[in-house]
């Protein structure tokens, strides 16, 4: 997998795992056994298989040693087992350490055990549980006077906040960790804190601050005389340089890291660095070097049984071969790499892989393959979007249920009050008959007030139900209708005749549009900018379309518009208005102007090949294919499916599978509408010539 997405994914997956190896040595270690355990620490970080052998040599002594020695031994042994992928054994050792620490009421050992458990849980992809353990470990560590342990726990808490996207809290924690590390007089603790802070500034895109911290990190790492520490710092420099658009510096950092890792014998780090080097050369278009380092990465990955590194290397090899014009070999290599991501069901990484694959095929001129890759990527994007939408609905439903229960509790409380009042009234009636009339009157007033309150509560409940129904049909970001509402609408209205007007050929119409290079906008400016782009496009669609037209947020960056009644010969003009309206937007975000274009697929509705109307689902599928033709042939344009010709000579399934071939063979009639501002470097797709596609009527309308 080439590109920024892959490197960012690798970096993120190793943040807390790297921290697991940076637990500082126990303060005041004096006896020989503890010194021997401390001496294993360097191997434990970077050469875990060698460290395991050395720890096993002292296991009998360490398990019968005093608390501080035994706790440090269990910490390192658990960490080494985790680094070797033996998470079950590592977790047993962490639990043993926690139980031992609680038995002796020792917070230092308990904090170490909780941190070990947090790192192992993270390695098992249970991130939220890992974060909670890290936060708890920090609380425990702060009850102690052990500064190195407090530094490590604070770093882990900061990294956990960063994982959850809470950058202000993460920054406060990591800056506090650096301050504590300076007080501890421990260069290794300071290096760990500076490394984490550099990674955070990279994630926050504050590159100048990141380079300032990096300079100190490199200086401190140089004083440690540790090839592993310096290699780790160089890998951090690579990530920062790549994000800051300094690829040459990043490449130099990787080459320096590789030399250090090979000297140390850190096979896991070598495999990761090799695959990152192949990606670095792939971004430069240096395909021979890409192939060289990717093949070396495969060899290194097999030595440590790392399937992810091997799969990533296969993807880089495939894209390099495609870039060399060896299309079939490249596709085969990419398919081999994709098998890992399909098997592990890692949808976000799979989406990034398919996007880069589609771009490589598009650049190589394989438009059909590019459309297929983009289609798969869009499907995953829609699945992820639907999961986010469902989560929002569930959260809203949960909030509603909590409010409902609270109202029920209040009503029950009031009923109990009424019962209590009635009992008091009966006692009073028995004792004081002459107050009967007054008591009854007061009871009537109370019941009346409670009745009015119950009525008011019921009215509010009805309002909440209506609000919930409205929110369930609307997209929370853009306030447009959502996909589910449109599907229900079409099920209820499909097949009903359209309104007709005298002297006009009036039809319904479907328009499907997708934001061009939306992922690049998110990567460059952040997700808040991406949300601003989506809301701006929603506003533009309201302006260029009519109030009677239904506008739907169809997926992550896809929109669908259903026009119930328009002139058939006006569809191209509507597509042009959409293209030009979006392109004319001026979107300002943090002082930067963001230019946006869309690609569009459209068709009249219903489509009726051979006189039989298609279902709305098949109609949407066909305009989706038209949209991907617009993507593959340069973007910032619209492809419209006007109708069918000679469909009896083929099958509708063949048309749906390859719309472009059907167009060129003369079975469908497409129109092409170009946006006013063409993107630089876009590939232009020519309409088929008359002698190539007899009967086809594809036209290119200048926008």
């Amino acid at each position: 997998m080439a590109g920024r997405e892959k490197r960012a994914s690798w970096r993120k997956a190793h943040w807390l795992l790297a921290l697991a190896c940076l637990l500082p040595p126990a303060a005041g270690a004096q006896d020989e056994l503890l010194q021997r355990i401390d001496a294993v620490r360097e191997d434990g970080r970077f050469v875990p298989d060698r460290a395991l052998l050395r720890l096993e040599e002292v296991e009998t002594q360490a398990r019968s040693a005093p608390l501080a020695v035994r706790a440090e031994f269990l910490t390192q042994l658990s960490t080494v087992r985790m680094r070797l992928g033996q998470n079950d054994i590592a977790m047993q050792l962490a639990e043993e350490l926690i139980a031992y620490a609680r038995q002796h009421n020792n917070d230092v050992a308990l904090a170490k055990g909780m941190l070990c458990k947090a790192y192992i849980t993270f390695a098992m992809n249970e991130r939220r549980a890992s974060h909670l353990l890290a936060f708890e470990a920090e609380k425990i560590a702060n009850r102690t006077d052990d500064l190195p342990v407090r530094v490590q726990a604070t770093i882990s808490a900061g990294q956990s906040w960063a994982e959850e996207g809470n950058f202000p809290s993460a920054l406060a924690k990591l800056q506090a960790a650096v301050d504590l590390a300076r007080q501890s007089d421990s260069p290794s603790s300071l290096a760990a804190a500076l490394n984490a802070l550099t990674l955070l500034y990279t994630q926050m895109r504050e590159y100048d601050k990141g380079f300032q911290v990096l300079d100190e990190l490199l200086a401190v790492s140089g004083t440690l005389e540790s090839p592993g520490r310096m290699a780790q710092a160089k890998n951090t420099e690579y990530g920062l340089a790549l994000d800051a658009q300094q690829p040459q510096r990043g490449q130099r950092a990787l080459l320096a890291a590789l030399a250090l890792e090979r000297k140390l014998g850190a096979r896991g780090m070598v495999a990761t660095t090799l695959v990152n080097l192949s990606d670095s050369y792939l971004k430069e278009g240096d395909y021979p070097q890409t192939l060289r380092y990717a093949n070396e990465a495969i060899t290194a990955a097999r030595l440590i049984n790392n399937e992810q590194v091997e799969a990533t290397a296969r993807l880089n090899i495939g894209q390099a071969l495609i870039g060399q014009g060896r299309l079939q070999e490249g596709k085969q290599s990419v398919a081999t790499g994709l098998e890992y991501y399909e098997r592990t069901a890692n949808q976000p990484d799979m989406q990034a892989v398919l996007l880069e694959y589609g771009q490589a095929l598009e650049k190589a001129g394989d438009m059909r393959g590019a459309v297929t890759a983009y289609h798969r990527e869009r499907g995953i994007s829609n699945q992820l979007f639907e999961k986010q939408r469902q989560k929002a609905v569930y959260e809203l439903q949960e909030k509603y249920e909590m409010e409902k229960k609270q109202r029920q509790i209040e009503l029950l409380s009031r009923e109990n009050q009424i019962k209590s009042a009635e009992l008091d009234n009966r006692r009073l009636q028995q004792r004081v008959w002459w107050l009967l009339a007054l008591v009854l009157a007061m009871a009537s007033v109370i019941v009346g007030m409670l009745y009015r309150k119950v009525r008011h509560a019921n009215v509010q409940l009805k309002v909440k139900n209506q609000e919930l129904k409205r929110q369930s049909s609307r997209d929370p970001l853009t306030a447009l209708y959502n996909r589910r509402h449109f599907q229900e609408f079409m099920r209820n209205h499909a097949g009903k005749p359209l309104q007709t007007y005298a002297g006009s050929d009036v039809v319904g119409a479907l328009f499907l549009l997708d934001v061009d290079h939306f992922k690049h906008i998110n990567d460059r400016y952040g997700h808040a900018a991406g949300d601003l782009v989506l809301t701006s496009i929603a506003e533009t669609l309201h302006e260029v379309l009519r109030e009677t037209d239904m506008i739907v947020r169809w997926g992550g960056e896809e929109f669908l518009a259903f026009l119930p009644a328009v002139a058939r010969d006006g569809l191209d003009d509507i597509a042009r208005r959409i293209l030009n309206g979006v392109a004319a937007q001026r979107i300002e975000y943090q002082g930067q102007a963001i230019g946006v274009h869309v690609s569009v697929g459209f068709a009249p509705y219903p489509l009726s090949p051979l006189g039989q109307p298609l279902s709305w689902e098949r109609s949407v599928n066909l305009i989706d294919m038209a949209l991907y033709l617009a993507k593959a042939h340069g973007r910032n344009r619209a492809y419209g499916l006007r109708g069918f010709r000679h469909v009896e000579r083929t099958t509708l399934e063949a048309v749906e599978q390859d719309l472009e071939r059907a167009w060129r063979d003369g079975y469908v009639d497409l129109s092409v509408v170009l946006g006013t501002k063409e993107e630089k470097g876009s590939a232009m797709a020519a309409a088929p010539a008359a002698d190539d596609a007899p009967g086809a009527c594809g036209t290119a309308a200048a926008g």
Side-chain angles (χ1 to χ4, degrees):
M1 172 172 56
R4 179 179 177 278
E5 295 84 356
K6 181 204 68 187
R7 182 199 47 70
S9 174
W10 266 99
R11 180 183 62 206
K12 183 176 181 182
H14 284 73
W15 279 357
L16 284 180
L17 295 180
L19 288 176
C21 305
L22 295 176
L23 281 169
Q30 295 183 1
D31 61 73
E32 181 182 353
L33 179 57
L34 189 53
Q35 290 177 10
R36 290 181 64 185
I37 295 172
D38 288 341
V40 181
R41 190 176 304 278
E42 184 79 3
D43 280 351
R45 295 187 195 101
F46 310 112
V47 195
D49 50 349
R50 190 163 65 202
L52 179 60
L53 295 175
R54 297 175 64 183
L55 287 172
E56 287 176 340
E57 291 175 357
V58 298
E59 183 167 9
T60 302
Q61 292 175 271
R63 286 187 176 277
S64 59
L67 186 148
V69 179
R70 182 174 175 181
E72 186 62 21
F73 170 78
L74 290 173
T75 298
Q76 289 207 40
L77 187 59
S78 175
T79 298
V80 167
R81 290 290 189 183
M82 180 195 67
R83 296 289 287 176
L84 292 171
Q86 300 168 6
N87 292 326
D88 292 344
I89 300 175
M91 184 63 79
Q92 291 174 7
L93 291 165
E95 295 287 7
E96 179 184 346
L97 175 56
I98 290 171
Y100 183 63
R102 285 176 173 159
Q103 179 185 352
H104 291 82
N105 196 27
N106 187 288
D107 283 339
V108 173
L110 182 58
K112 290 182 178 182
M114 295 293 285
L115 286 171
C116 285
K117 190 173 179 180
Y119 305 140
I120 299 162
T121 307
F122 186 88
M124 296 167 69
N125 293 318
E126 298 176 15
R127 294 196 174 184
R128 182 55 186 164
S130 171
H131 298 164
L132 294 175
L133 287 165
F135 297 147
E136 181 64 22
E138 184 196 19
K139 293 178 183 177
I140 296 169
N142 285 337
R143 300 201 297 255
T144 75
D145 295 327
D146 193 315
L147 281 178
V149 171
R150 289 173 61 190
V151 170
Q152 186 58 35
T154 306
I155 291 172
S156 298
Q159 292 284 18
S160 296
W161 284 122
E163 284 283 342
E164 295 188 2
N166 189 338
F167 292 150
S169 295
L171 183 60
K173 289 293 183 185
L174 294 183
Q175 288 174 335
V178 171
D179 292 339
L180 279 173
R182 296 190 197 284
Q183 298 173 32
S184 72
D185 196 28
S186 169
S188 60
S189 293
L190 182 57
L194 292 170
N195 189 74
L197 186 56
T198 305
L199 289 171
L200 178 63
Y201 278 133
T202 303
Q203 208 179 358
M204 295 170 64
R205 296 185 174 87
E206 294 191 18
Y207 304 127
D208 291 341
K209 293 180 180 179
F211 281 116
Q212 290 176 8
V213 180
L214 176 67
D215 289 340
E216 185 178 0
L217 169 62
L218 293 171
V220 172
S221 298
T223 66
L224 295 173
E225 299 181 356
S226 166
R229 296 268 191 185
M230 183 57 75
Q232 189 175 59
K234 284 294 182 181
N235 275 291
T236 299
E237 180 182 4
Y238 157 70
L240 175 58
L242 194 62
D243 275 11
Q245 306 299 316
Q246 298 182 27
Q248 293 301 321
R249 177 172 180 173
Q251 197 173 91
R252 290 194 299 271
L254 280 179
L255 290 169
L258 181 62
L260 291 165
E261 291 157 4
R262 283 177 165 163
K263 177 182 177 182
L264 183 64
R267 296 187 297 177
M269 296 178 73
V270 166
T272 302
T273 301
L274 285 169
V275 82
N276 282 336
L277 271 170
S278 72
D279 174 67
S280 176
Y281 283 109
L282 180 63
K283 292 173 70 66
E284 289 185 351
D286 188 342
Y287 301 129
Q289 288 288 71
T290 301
L291 294 172
R292 170 194 167 187
Y293 284 109
N295 281 309
E296 289 185 22
I298 291 174
T299 302
R302 288 177 175 173
L303 291 175
I304 58 173
N305 196 29
N306 191 319
E307 291 185 88
Q308 186 174 7
V309 169
E310 182 173 352
T312 305
R314 294 285 183 195
L315 295 169
N316 286 350
I317 289 172
Q319 292 186 52
L321 293 173
I322 291 171
Q324 289 181 333
R326 298 155 66 181
L327 201 59
Q328 292 306 315
E329 291 180 71
K331 285 185 173 181
Q332 182 59 47
S333 183
V334 169
T336 303
L338 282 174
E339 289 176 0
Y340 169 82
Y341 291 93
E342 291 170 343
R343 187 172 70 254
T344 56
N346 188 333
Q347 289 185 315
D349 283 353
M350 187 72 172
Q351 182 185 5
V353 168
L354 290 169
L355 181 61
E356 293 174 359
Y357 182 38
Q359 291 169 347
L361 292 173
E362 181 180 347
K363 186 176 179 181
D366 183 0
M367 296 304 179
R368 181 175 181 180
V371 167
T372 301
Y374 289 143
H375 215 293
R376 291 180 65 188
E377 184 271 336
R378 180 58 50 224
I380 293 174
S381 175
N382 288 338
Q383 289 177 19
L384 294 174
F385 170 76
E386 184 63 20
K387 288 180 180 178
Q388 292 173 350
R389 188 192 69 79
Q390 289 178 355
K391 181 181 178 183
V393 171
Y394 291 151
E395 289 175 351
L396 180 63
Q397 181 68 34
E398 183 178 357
K399 180 181 178 182
Y400 167 74
E401 292 294 338
M402 288 179 64
E403 292 177 353
K404 183 178 178 182
K405 288 179 181 178
Q406 185 61 35
R407 285 193 295 272
Q408 290 173 342
I409 291 171
E410 291 174 358
L411 288 173
L412 286 172
S413 177
R414 288 167 185 158
E415 289 176 0
N416 288 333
Q417 291 175 4
I418 293 173
K419 291 178 180 178
S420 178
E422 290 176 348
L423 287 172
D424 291 341
N425 287 338
R426 282 196 292 270
R427 290 169 185 162
L428 287 172
Q429 286 172 2
Q430 293 171 1
R431 295 177 183 178
V432 190
W433 286 96
W434 62 271
L435 291 176
L436 177 61
L438 180 60
V439 170
L440 289 175
M442 291 177 62
S444 298
V445 171
I446 293 172
V447 171
M449 291 175 61
L450 290 174
Y451 176 71
R452 284 196 296 272
K453 289 183 179 180
V454 170
R455 285 189 62 189
H456 178 71
N458 287 335
V459 169
Q460 293 228 327
L461 184 60
K462 184 176 181 181
V463 170
K464 287 290 184 181
N465 283 331
Q466 292 173 345
E467 180 184 352
L468 182 62
K469 182 177 180 181
R470 182 185 67 81
Q471 291 179 345
S472 68
S473 67
R474 294 282 183 174
D475 171 56
L477 175 65
T478 61
L480 299 176
Y481 287 113
N482 59 28
R483 191 183 192 120
R484 186 177 69 175
H485 175 81
F486 177 76
Q487 290 170 337
E488 291 178 355
F489 174 84
M490 294 305 288
R491 279 196 294 268
N492 294 332
H493 293 81
K496 293 184 179 180
L498 295 169
Q499 184 178 359
T500 58
Y501 300 88
S504 299
D505 186 7
V506 176
V507 296
L510 288 166
F511 286 77
L512 185 63
L513 53 148
D514 183 275
V515 184
D516 292 335
H517 301 304
F518 183 71
K519 188 169 184 59
H520 294 173
I521 293 172
N522 276 337
D523 289 342
R524 181 173 180 182
Y525 302 103
H527 288 281
D531 289 347
L532 178 60
V533 167
L534 295 176
T535 55
S536 299
I537 291 176
E539 293 171 2
T540 299
L541 291 176
H542 277 302
E543 292 173 2
V544 301
L545 299 176
R546 302 166 302 183
E547 291 185 1
T548 56
D549 299 333
M550 180 182 293
I551 308 172
V552 181
R553 186 175 179 193
W554 193 242
E557 61 266 23
E558 282 188 312
F559 298 85
L560 183 141
F562 173 61
L563 286 59
V566 292
R568 184 184 296 273
D569 58 5
L571 297 187
D572 286 4
D573 290 335
I574 295 171
R576 187 176 297 109
R577 288 208 310 269
I578 293 173
L579 291 170
N580 296 342
V582 173
Q585 294 179 113
R586 182 172 180 82
I587 301 175
E588 296 286 344
Y589 179 75
Q590 295 184 348
Q592 301 183 75
I594 305 176
V596 181
H597 298 89
V598 295
S599 298
V600 182
F602 64 95
Y605 176 78
L607 288 167
S608 302
L610 301 176
Q612 295 295 323
L614 296 180
S615 67
W616 70 267
E617 292 93 344
R618 296 189 79 173
S619 297
V620 170
N621 183 59
L622 283 165
I623 65 170
D624 193 32
M625 297 303 297
L627 166 65
Y628 277 95
L629 283 182
K631 288 281 188 186
H633 288 288
R635 299 181 175 85
N636 189 24
R637 62 192 61 204
Y639 273 55
L641 176 58
R642 292 177 170 176
F644 300 87
R645 293 174 176 270
H646 311 300
V647 184
E648 67 277 2
R649 300 177 186 173
T650 182
T651 64
L652 188 58
E653 288 74 16
V655 173
E656 289 177 315
Q657 290 174 5
D658 195 338
L659 184 62
E660 184 171 17
R661 172 59 61 187
W663 178 29
R664 297 190 180 280
D665 290 344
Y667 296 129
V668 296
D669 182 5
L670 296 183
S671 63
V672 183
V673 181
L674 305 181
T676 54
K677 297 179 181 179
E678 286 297 320
E679 296 181 356
K680 293 183 180 180
S682 294
M684 295 291 292
D691 55 346
D692 290 332
C697 296
T699 59

